[in-house]
Every structure is written in structure tokens, then in C-alpha cells.
């Protein structure tokens, strides 16, 4: 399968990276390098934000340069599209129309070509500005003033985009198709456990269960995940706690006892106990 991508930054290139790893022939067309840019920088902003990320995202991808606002650039693009199975984009719909790459125009020129369009939000929201952070905020996935540990909506969107490309290429029945992937929808998908209350405050995986929490230990932190009854029973046995029934794990006294016990243990000690007693945990040394 031959994929041509015009998608910049993170979600599109990450989706293309996955498709390349699955065996697709991937070509990416980037805009020209900005005037005065540092040597080695390309037309994709990611190459200046984080060269390491840019390099990894494009391993095995053939990268071309073309100014799509020029006749020469358009000619180069359409030469590649005439040989491709699918086009991946990450522009607003209005920008695609200006470039003659809206689905109606594209399908007329290249009837064999499917398209997957990554947008910020579905429907009319596709024209609105947004980013990973705003989509996480919309779905109540931000707490306090700390930034998220990673770009959840972007990476989840890349998975949805690679899934859409596979569907477009494998289930079209010989007919070209158009599919849209919205990063806001990716964030909403990630937020489903929260919307269902699975991770609400006091819920089993929301801090209510004493065996499923982050705790301080003697020289760092520990992510404890002894949620299932057999894991919780092993934890209580090792910690010297009585566990007469399941509700014990939700009692304040159990939380306090486990917290006190862990403060007496180093990361090394906890790692050894986890192996010996088959307890799911991950230590985080200082």
C-alpha cells in the first residue's frame, strides 16, 4: 500500500510511522524550510521543536519538499497522488479547499485515492483552533495546574488515524473512501473511564481502594496496583494486615496502615517483595 502524507507536527507523522512499521510505502511531502531557519530544519515544525522526535517519526519514510501554493509544488504533489492508494492530511477543511484537496475535488482528479483527514474537532468544529491541551480540558482530563505527562489526544488521535487508514485501504471493496479523525474525539475516547465513573474520586481505581494508589516509600514513590482480591490478599499478608472481607480495602484504617508500612520500605525492598509474593507494583526512586 502506498500512502502520501501532508500531515505535520505529531498526530499525522505518528500515524504514518505506525503504517510504515506495518509495511506500507510512505511518502511525506513537507513545505519548504522557513527562510533563515537553522541548517537541518525542515518545513515540519517538529524538526525544530524536537529533532530527535522528528527523526524517529520519519524512519523509513521518504520525505519530499513542495510548496503546494505554487504550480510546481502542485504538479509534484499530484504526480505522487496518481501513484498512491491513500492521502493523509491534517489541515482545516477550508485550507484543503484552497489547495484543491477537498474530497470532492480530490476524488474527481484521483478516483483511486482514499483520504484520511485529521482535524481538531468534528463537524463545524474542524475550523476552530485547538490543541492537545484544549481537547483534554474539554473532556475533563486535566487536574490542577500541572501539564499532562504526555500528549494524550495527539497520540490517541494517531492511533485512530492509523486505524482509519487500515479501514480505508482494506475494507473499501475497490472503492475510494473519505474518513475523518478528530483529535477531540480521541480525547473523548480516552475520557470514557472517567465519564463512566471508573476513575472518580473514591472509586476502586480513583483512590478508594487501598491497593490501587500512589504512595510514598522510604526513598521514593511506589505505584501499587494490587486491585484484584488475590493481589490485595497477598499485599495485606506481606504488610501484616488482617483482611477479613473485600470492603476492608476501602477503609481509611487500611489506607493508613499500608501508607505507614510502605514508608518503612525502600524501592529495592519493595521490588524484591513484589517478585517474591507476585504483587503488581512499580517503584519510582527519587
Amino acid at each position: 500500500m502506498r500512502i502520501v502524507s501532508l500531515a505535520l507536527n505529531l498526530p499525522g507523522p505518528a500515524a504514518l510511522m505506525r503504517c510504515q512499521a506495518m509495511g506500507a510505502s510512505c511518502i511525506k511531502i513537507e513545505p519548504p524550510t522557513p527562510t533563515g531557519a537553522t541548517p537541518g530544519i525542515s518545513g515540519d515544525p517538529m524538526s525544530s521543536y524536537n529533532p530527535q522526535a522528528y527523526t524517529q517519526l520519519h524512519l523509513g519514510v521518504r520525505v519530499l519538499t513542495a510548496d503546494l501554493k505554487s504550480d510546481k509544488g502542485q504538479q509534484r504533489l499530484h504526480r505522487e497522488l496518481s501513484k498512491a492508494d491513500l492521502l493523509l492530511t491534517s489541515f482545516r477543511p477550508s485550507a484543503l479547499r484552497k489547495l484543491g484537496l477537498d474530497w470532492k475535488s480530490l476524488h474527481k482528479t484521483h478516483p483511486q485515492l482514499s483520504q484520511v483527514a485529521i482535524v481538531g474537532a468534528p463537524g463545524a468544529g474542524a475550523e476552530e483552533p485547538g490543541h492537545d491541551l484544549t481537547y483534554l480540558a474539554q473532556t475533563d482530563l486535566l487536574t490542577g495546574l500541572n501539564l499532562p505527562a504526555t500528549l494524550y489526544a495527539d497520540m490517541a488521535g494517531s492511533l485512530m488515524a492509523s486505524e482509519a487508514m487500515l479501514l480505508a485501504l482494506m475494507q473499501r471493496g475497490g472503492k475510494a473512501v473519505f474518513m475523518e479523525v478528530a483529535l477531540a474525539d480521541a480525547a473523548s475516547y480516552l475520557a470514557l473511564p472517567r465519564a463512566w465513573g471508573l476513575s472518580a474520586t473514591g472509586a476502586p481505581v480513583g483512590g478508594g481502594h487501598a491497593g490501587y494508589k500512589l504512595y510514598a516509600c522510604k526513598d521514593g514513590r511506589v505505584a501499587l496496583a494490587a486491585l484484584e482480591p488475590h493481589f490485595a490478599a497477598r499485599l495485606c499478608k506481606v504488610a501484616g494486615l488482617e483482611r477479613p472481607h473485600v470492603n476492608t480495602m476501602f477503609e481509611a484504617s487500611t489506607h493508613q496502615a499500608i501508607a505507614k508500612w510502605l514508608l518503612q520500605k525502600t524501592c529495592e525492598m519493595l521490588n524484591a517483595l513484589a517478585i517474591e509474593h507476585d504483587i503488581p507494583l512499580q517503584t519510582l526512586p527519587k
Side-chain angles (χ1 to χ4, degrees):
M1 294 298 181
R2 188 179 178 92
I3 300 171
V4 172
S5 175
L6 303 177
L8 306 177
N9 290 311
L10 182 57
L16 194 67
M17 175 178 68
R18 289 184 62 80
C19 289
Q20 192 279 330
M22 289 186 281
S25 175
C26 298
I27 296 172
K28 182 186 175 195
I29 299 178
E30 296 182 347
T33 302
T35 303
T38 304
I41 297 301
S42 79
D44 187 333
M46 182 60 75
S47 68
S48 60
Y49 295 157
N50 192 311
Q52 179 184 357
Y54 176 86
T55 298
Q56 186 169 347
L57 287 165
H58 295 85
L59 290 174
V61 175
R62 182 183 169 209
V63 179
L64 307 176
T65 300
D67 180 0
L68 300 185
K69 296 179 181 179
S70 70
D71 291 340
K72 185 177 179 180
Q74 282 283 327
Q75 290 169 8
R76 184 168 200 182
L77 168 64
H78 285 284
R79 279 199 303 271
E80 296 299 335
L81 293 182
S82 68
K83 300 177 286 185
D85 298 295
L86 185 140
L87 172 65
L88 176 66
T89 62
S90 62
F91 301 136
R92 298 185 197 188
S94 59
L96 286 175
R97 284 194 296 272
K98 290 178 182 178
L99 294 170
L101 296 175
D102 58 283
W103 175 241
K104 184 177 180 180
S105 301
L106 189 69
H107 189 52
K108 182 178 180 180
T109 307
H110 303 285
Q112 90 292 349
L113 191 70
S114 292
Q115 181 181 10
V116 171
I118 299 174
V119 296
E127 291 292 343
E128 299 173 1
H131 227 304
D132 185 278
L133 193 63
T134 57
Y135 304 132
L136 294 182
Q138 289 171 10
T139 49
D140 195 29
L141 287 176
L142 299 178
T143 55
L145 295 177
N146 291 328
L147 288 171
T150 189
L151 299 172
Y152 291 103
D154 282 356
M155 294 308 290
S158 77
L159 292 175
M160 287 187 166
S162 60
E163 179 182 73
M165 286 192 280
L166 287 173
L167 286 171
L169 293 170
M170 297 175 66
Q171 298 186 9
R172 64 185 185 178
K175 182 180 178 181
V177 297
F178 173 83
M179 302 184 74
E180 184 180 88
V181 174
L183 299 181
D185 287 344
S188 295
Y189 184 76
L190 291 181
L192 282 176
R194 187 173 179 84
W196 294 331
L198 289 176
S199 58
T201 301
V205 294
H209 190 288
Y212 195 93
K213 288 180 69 175
L214 278 167
Y215 289 96
C217 63
K218 195 169 185 178
D219 58 350
R221 293 177 296 158
V222 56
L224 184 61
L227 184 63
E228 289 83 354
H230 59 287
F231 286 134
R234 292 172 193 162
L235 170 66
C236 289
K237 182 178 180 179
V238 173
L241 305 177
E242 292 186 6
R243 185 176 172 275
H245 52 77
V246 174
N247 290 338
T248 300
M249 300 306 294
F250 292 87
E251 295 173 359
S253 58
T254 305
H255 285 256
Q256 294 165 4
I258 291 176
K260 183 178 179 180
W261 175 73
L262 289 169
L263 278 174
Q264 302 169 5
K265 305 295 181 183
T266 64
C267 290
E268 185 178 357
M269 294 166 67
L270 290 171
N271 290 334
L273 287 171
I275 294 171
E276 182 181 355
H277 297 282
D278 192 30
I279 299 172
L281 63 81
Q282 178 67 49
T283 56
L284 301 161
K286 289 181 180 177

